[in-house]
Amino acid sequence: MKCYVITNYSIDPSKLDEYSGYLKEVAKVTAKYGGRILVASQDNQNVEGSPEAITAVIEFDSKENAERWYASKEYTAIKDLRTNATKAGWLIFADEFDLSH
């Protein structure tokens, strides 16, 4: 079953250089673990609630692959570039919804 890594966060403007280092590497590391970036946007239309500025959705073939990616030494090496630059936000693993079950 597919798994989606969904995240929503804002970046501290004083830490844009640090965050840009994350952006330079994340697509390559994600692809290595079979992830496909479906959404990565700052141009979101807020319809409900109070989301942060940046939204990303990454698709993996399974939760195990998503967990391997997140715990990998390659992602761990760059993750702090994002989290240290983040003012607020969250990240979840969400399983695909299957209506046939």
Side-chain angles (χ1 to χ4, degrees):
M1 176 181 291
K2 290 185 189 257
C3 179
Y4 297 88
V5 175
I6 304 169
T7 186
N8 178 251
Y9 56 92
S10 59
I11 298 299
D12 180 336
S14 69
K15 298 182 178 180
L16 289 176
D17 286 343
E18 193 170 347
Y19 183 63
S20 68
Y22 174 79
L23 293 177
K24 288 177 186 174
E25 299 296 325
V26 69
K28 177 175 34 177
V29 172
T30 301
K32 179 177 178 180
Y33 287 86
R36 203 167 67 103
I37 299 173
L38 302 178
V39 175
S41 177
Q42 292 186 45
D43 188 24
N44 302 308
Q45 179 182 352
N46 182 20
V47 179
E48 291 184 19
S50 301
E52 300 300 329
I54 299 168
T55 301
V57 179
I58 306 169
E59 178 185 70
F60 287 89
D61 287 337
S62 67
K63 185 177 282 183
E64 292 77 20
N65 285 351
E67 290 169 340
R68 274 194 284 276
W69 162 78
Y70 191 77
S72 71
K73 67 180 182 179
E74 296 92 343
Y75 188 69
T76 300
I78 65 169
K79 180 174 42 178
D80 285 347
L81 297 174
R82 176 182 54 81
T83 59
N84 290 340
T86 299
K87 291 193 305 184
W90 49 265
L91 183 145
I92 63 170
F93 292 173
D95 290 332
E96 176 181 34
F97 182 66
D98 185 355
L99 285 172
S100 66
H101 289 106

